[in-house]
Amino acid sequence: MAVDRRPLIAGNWKMNFDHLQAIAFTQKLAWTLRDANHDYATTEVAIFPPFTDLRSIQNLIEGDKFDLAYGGQDVSSHDAGAYTGEVSGSFLKALGASYVLIGHSERRQYHAETDEIVRAKVEASLRHDLIPIICVGETESDLEQFGPSAVPVAQLRAALSGIAEKDIVIAYEPVWAIGTGKAATDEQAEQVCGALRTALAEAWGMAPAESTRILYGGSVKATNIAALMRQPNIDGALVGGASLDISEFASICRFLKHVV
Ligand code: 13P
């Protein structure tokens, strides 16, 4: 974590919580963070609910003036038209979303999202003034075959090819660490996040590489966040399972209180 990059703790709810559950959960989360005097200026907190929750989340956050940011878990590469089931970046923007997750490994695995599709979705999000959180990561067999950073770096290069410098976030999520309880060690995560920053510097130059936030995701918990956040190239976390538990997620958001 570098002092001039504001850490971002992002909760990816995946396909959990309908809109009623989302309202209750988000309200309790915001109150828990408020009671703990969480300073959002020091650590940003964002949630990524299912699409059907977003209107309720917007009403709640705007109505109660919570400082939580939010975004979609995916976006269409198209802006409008005959694309049944897809959601345009313009719709997310109209709901007050700031961010959108792109290329999560579950999208790549279950929805056949290729590097080309990921790249088109990055472009779509930028067209609608949404900050893409570009997810990259290797499987266990990629790791054995190609080593730790080759696949995530190649995915990042492909996602950004032909795209000029913009405000983006990168999330390194090793597939073998997602939902397994087996997080990457802080050294492993730092090695790949450092390689991603170098790749970004090659694409866009040093200044944007230095200012872009790189998150780690994969079995992040209250007990391992502090060590991860001590690494110089890790600027936050993309949290799955633990983002569905208020006290656990609030504790992750307050990592500065347990970084020693
Ligand atoms: P877990 O935190 O459940 O391992 O999930 C990580 C993830 O996929 C976040 O996008």
Side-chain angles (χ1 to χ4, degrees), residues 12 14 101 104 106 173 177-180 217-220 238-242:
N12 174 10
K14 308 192 179 183
L101 301 180
H104 191 280
E106 288 148 18
E173 297 206 302
I178 295 177
T180 59
S219 297
V220 171
L238 183 53
V239 185

Side-chain angles (χ1 to χ4, degrees), residues 47-226:
I47 53 174
F48 292 82
F51 287 134
T52 50
D53 297 356
L54 283 173
R55 178 62 171 161
S56 306
I57 295 288
Q58 177 193 28
N59 286 339
L60 176 69
I61 288 179
E62 288 182 0
D64 286 2
K65 299 190 168 41
F66 294 146
D67 290 318
L68 293 165
Y70 55 95
Q73 296 177 11
D74 181 31
V75 67
S76 176
S77 59
H78 307 284
D79 293 344
Y83 303 102
T84 302
E86 296 204 20
V87 172
S88 168
S90 67
F91 306 162
L92 292 174
K93 194 68 195 173
L95 287 169
S98 312
Y99 294 100
V100 63
L101 301 180
I102 295 182
H104 191 280
S105 63
E106 288 148 18
R107 301 289 317 169
R108 293 180 192 257
Q109 189 182 348
Y110 306 133
H111 299 270
E113 286 196 8
T114 60
D115 283 343
E116 290 69 38
I117 294 172
V118 169
R119 186 194 166 285
K121 291 186 172 191
V122 170
E123 275 200 320
S125 68
L126 295 171
R127 272 200 302 281
H128 297 290
D129 198 24
L130 295 161
I131 299 172
I133 299 186
I134 303 170
C135 304
V136 297
E138 79 288 357
T139 62
E140 192 131 46
S141 76
D142 290 336
L143 186 63
E144 281 161 19
Q145 218 180 324
F146 305 110
S149 52
V151 168
V153 163
Q155 288 174 337
L156 180 66
R157 288 203 180 110
L160 295 180
S161 85
I163 294 177
E165 176 191 335
K166 286 279 178 344
D167 193 6
I168 63 164
V169 175
I170 297 165
Y172 167 53
E173 297 206 302
V175 179
W176 48 266
I178 295 177
T180 59
K182 195 179 92 180
T185 65
D186 29 311
E187 291 86 4
Q188 276 175 318
E190 167 61 18
Q191 185 188 358
V192 179
C193 291
L196 291 167
R197 198 175 302 285
T198 302
L200 191 60
E202 284 160 12
W204 285 355
M206 278 308 285
E210 282 302 314
S211 63
T212 296
R213 291 173 296 180
I214 303 181
L215 317 182
Y216 166 78
S219 297
V220 171
K221 299 187 211 67
T223 47
N224 59 18
I225 184 69

